[in-house]
Amino acid sequence: MKIKFCGAARNVTGSCHLITLDDGYNILLECGLFQGYAKNVWERNNNWYFDPADIDTLILSHAHIDHTGRVPKLVKDGFRGRIYSTHATRSLCAIMLLDSAFIQERDVEYYNKRLLKKKNKNAKKEPREPLYTVDDVKPVMDRFITMSYDNWQTIRPGVEVLYKDSGHILGSAGVVLKITENGIETLIGFTGDIGRPDRPILRDPQPLPPVDYLLCESTYGDKEHETTPEQSEMFLKIIKSTCIDKKGKLIIPAFSVGRTQEIVYMLDRMETAGLLPRIKVYVDSPLAVNATEVFGSHPECYDDDLNKYLLKDDNPFGFRDLTYIRDVNKSKALNDSDEPCIIISSSGMMNAGRVKHHLANSIENPKNTILIVGYCSPETPGGKLKTGIESIKLFGEWKMVKAEIRVMDSFSAHGDRLEMYNHIKNQKGKVKRIFLVHGEIDTQKAFAKYLNERGLTNIEIPDEDHTFNL
């Protein structure tokens, strides 16, 4: 059998890996959207390293768009197989893919309008069509087969799949494939995105059983995060210094699924404990509002701490000073207000969504703070702000960076290098080869060295469109 790496190879977006069996049966692990501002993103999202009609089965680890965002295009371009996921992943995909489709339509409309205005300068450029539309999402949802954790499911004779809770977002999973060819059984493991132990809301990541070949994420393979007590104390200090001392706005760019709910839950617990000052908190993202409702529908994913907390607070995602905003006019009103407040808004990398408007309206005010709480691709506004730039271009205008920029990677739903190592160390003595995916190349090299020093060897860092025989 063979494996081809079709995305998230030496970068952290567009997760997509193709396994081809000896008889030609094709299994696709993930079908993610390439995100960011790289010049070739449009081309990469519109082209495949395979024929979608040749794919027999699609297996998803979790619902984040960099892992699922091209599924509607896959179906649109000819895929007719089944899509396997956990129950919660399907629930999240139902809202996230619709949101993504709306963004595809809106972005193409904006691009084509700009093209018309500059038609003489861009004579060689053609108008674009969306990758997919809202109408393309329903046929996707009809193809899902959902599974519980820890139960083997037969995909076809000789191919079985197992999900293990990866503790990354609601419904996230590591994947094990049991493939029997010519009487020989081979186990292929895929970590998906590895979550973090002792985090709020979700259960701790569960390791995969020992496998023959392992695909392992590597996002934070060169660093370790702050501990939880340090994180809570630092977060509260940032809130007080911004909203109480400076009377400014605390803007938190956060992914709508996972990060937003964790931050809200942390604020809820602070409020219950009497630690949170009386400050207005706004969650300004229609997708985040919908996703939070989905969280309430899947208690099977909760950890013991949240189940115990529910006994004294039956709404862990709501408190007296919290307001969820769907309406765009109410979102715009936040930009005109001088009220000290916390605004949690997507996207996490600040390259799209309502948070980009909040950033543009807040970045030049030294009273405000932009708190970056997760990974940002280097070319995105979030990635640029992390480097300490003095000015940034937003909506065609250059803005001076006068607001305070703070970074708390400990909020990340990705495990750090020690947590990832602990997650896969049970593979020693069994695994024949480890493929590092979903990481920037320098980080992957550092993580490979880190693993080698701890007894995990035979590590590959595949490039995009690279094929290996297993």
Side-chain angles (χ1 to χ4, degrees):
M1 89 187 71
K2 298 178 180 179
I3 184 167
K4 178 188 281 190
F5 295 89
C6 305
R10 305 193 179 195
N11 60 64
V12 296
T13 188
S15 187
C16 188
H17 319 293
L18 175 62
I19 297 170
T20 301
L21 307 190
D22 290 343
D23 64 0
Y25 191 85
N26 288 305
I27 302 168
L28 198 62
L29 291 173
E30 318 280 65
C31 190
L33 194 73
F34 292 99
Q35 297 172 302
Y37 285 151
K39 292 182 179 179
N40 62 345
V41 163
W42 178 255
E43 288 73 21
R44 294 172 83 189
N45 279 324
N46 273 278
N47 293 287
W48 305 100
Y49 288 111
F50 47 81
D51 184 346
D54 291 339
I55 303 300
D56 296 288
T57 297
L58 171 61
I59 298 174
L60 301 177
S61 70
H62 68 287
H64 274 153
I65 290 299
D66 60 327
H67 294 257
T68 65
R70 283 210 295 170
V71 176
K73 180 168 175 57
L74 188 78
V75 174
K76 180 181 175 182
D77 289 355
F79 171 69
R80 294 295 178 265
R82 290 296 186 180
I83 302 170
Y84 289 84
S85 79
T86 64
H87 306 304
T89 292
R90 186 193 183 279
S91 296
L92 288 173
C93 281
I95 59 172
M96 294 180 72
L97 293 178
L98 282 172
D99 183 75
S100 178
F102 175 73
I103 291 171
Q104 306 302 323
E105 295 177 27
R106 186 180 59 191
D107 285 353
V108 163
E109 182 181 3
Y110 176 71
Y111 174 88
N112 289 340
K113 282 182 179 178
R114 289 189 64 193
L115 192 66
L116 280 174
K117 289 180 180 178
K118 301 179 179 180
K119 57 184 179 181
N120 293 330
K121 295 181 180 178
N122 298 290
K124 295 181 180 179
K125 292 186 178 181
E126 296 292 332
R128 290 176 175 177
E129 293 288 332
L131 288 176
Y132 50 88
T133 67
V134 168
D135 291 338
D136 294 319
V137 174
K138 186 183 183 303
V140 172
M141 304 315 300
D142 292 340
R143 313 207 73 78
F144 271 83
I145 294 177
T146 59
M147 297 171 48
S148 301
Y149 294 117
D150 303 315
N151 292 308
W152 286 100
Q153 169 91 27
T154 299
I155 293 177
R156 67 154 217 181
V159 179
E160 297 177 65
V161 63
L162 173 74
Y163 278 130
K164 300 290 290 185
D165 194 339
S166 70
H168 175 64
I169 65 166
L170 195 79
S172 62
V175 179
V176 181
L177 286 169
K178 184 191 296 181
I179 298 171
T180 303
E181 291 185 308
N182 304 315
I184 300 173
E185 183 180 280
T186 301
L187 293 176
I188 301 174
F190 173 45
T191 64
D193 286 355
I194 302 168
R196 306 189 59 205
D198 301 319
R199 298 300 297 169
I201 302 176
L202 302 178
R203 293 192 296 265
D204 288 353
Q206 300 299 306
L208 303 180
V211 296
D212 298 294
Y213 300 96
L214 179 68
L215 283 68
C216 181
E217 78 123 317
S218 53
T219 309
Y220 284 104
D222 60 349
K223 64 178 65 176
E224 293 174 17
H225 300 317
E226 300 110 325
T227 61
T228 301
E230 291 171 340
Q231 179 197 56
S232 299
E233 292 168 11
M234 185 181 297
F235 187 34
L236 193 54
K237 284 181 181 178
I238 293 171
I239 292 171
K240 289 179 177 178
S241 68
T242 302
C243 302
I244 303 299
D245 299 340
K246 295 191 293 183
K247 302 192 183 307
K249 294 178 181 177
L250 176 58
I251 310 296
I252 307 177
F255 294 110
S256 298
V257 178
R259 198 72 41 80
T260 292
Q261 290 75 29
E262 181 177 340
I263 292 169
V264 168
Y265 177 49
M266 182 174 286
L267 291 169
D268 189 291
R269 295 191 68 143
M270 287 179 181
E271 202 269 349
T272 299
L275 299 173
L276 186 66
R278 291 299 304 269
I279 301 166
K280 291 290 185 180
V281 180
Y282 300 97
V283 174
D284 184 23
S285 165
L287 178 58
V289 177
N290 293 335
T292 303
E293 292 176 355
V294 172
F295 267 67
S297 302
H298 287 279
E300 76 274 10
C301 298
Y302 296 168
D303 64 9
D304 290 340
D305 287 343
L306 178 51
N307 284 320
K308 291 176 184 176
Y309 186 69
L310 285 168
L311 297 176
K312 58 181 178 181
D313 183 352
D314 62 0
N315 183 10
F317 306 112
F319 50 93
R320 60 183 174 180
D321 290 319
L322 175 65
T323 301
Y324 287 94
I325 294 178
R326 280 193 173 97
D327 184 74
V328 67
N329 291 320
K330 291 182 180 179
S331 173
K332 290 177 179 178
L334 291 178
N335 290 318
D336 298 328
S337 171
D338 293 327
E339 170 192 40
C341 62
I342 300 171
I343 300 173
I344 306 164
S345 187
S346 63
S347 70
M349 298 188 193
M350 292 171 270
N351 59 324
R354 292 181 178 180
V355 76
K356 196 172 177 183
H357 293 273
H358 294 306
L359 180 66
N361 282 276
S362 303
I363 194 72
E364 294 191 309
N365 189 336
K367 294 195 302 183
N368 300 329
T369 300
I370 313 299
L371 177 58
I372 301 172
V373 293
Y375 178 83
C376 296
S377 295
E379 75 281 0
T380 62
K384 292 175 182 178
L385 288 173
K386 273 189 169 186
T387 67
I389 58 172
E390 295 182 354
S391 62
I392 187 168
K393 193 173 186 179
L394 298 166
F395 301 110
E397 294 183 17
W398 283 99
K399 302 276 188 178
M400 297 302 298
V401 180
K402 296 180 181 178
E404 184 177 5
I405 308 299
R406 299 294 299 269
V407 178
M408 289 185 66
D409 282 331
S410 61
F411 271 110
S412 177
H414 290 268
D416 61 24
R417 65 179 183 179
L418 177 60
E419 291 162 343
M420 289 191 291
Y421 165 71
N422 286 333
H423 188 70
I424 68 171
K425 66 183 180 182
N426 69 322
Q427 302 294 335
K428 290 180 186 178
K430 167 69 173 177
V431 68
K432 298 174 183 175
R433 198 180 299 181
I434 297 173
F435 300 96
L436 296 185
V437 296
H438 207 285
E440 301 293 340
I441 182 61
D442 290 341
T443 300
Q444 291 179 312
K445 288 178 180 177
F447 190 43
K449 182 175 182 290
Y450 183 85
L451 294 178
N452 270 310
E453 291 169 348
R454 286 154 182 79
L456 284 165
T457 56
N458 296 324
I459 297 173
E460 303 278 358
I461 304 177
D463 207 347
E464 203 166 292
D465 197 25
H466 197 169
T467 299
F468 291 82
N469 292 310
L470 302 183

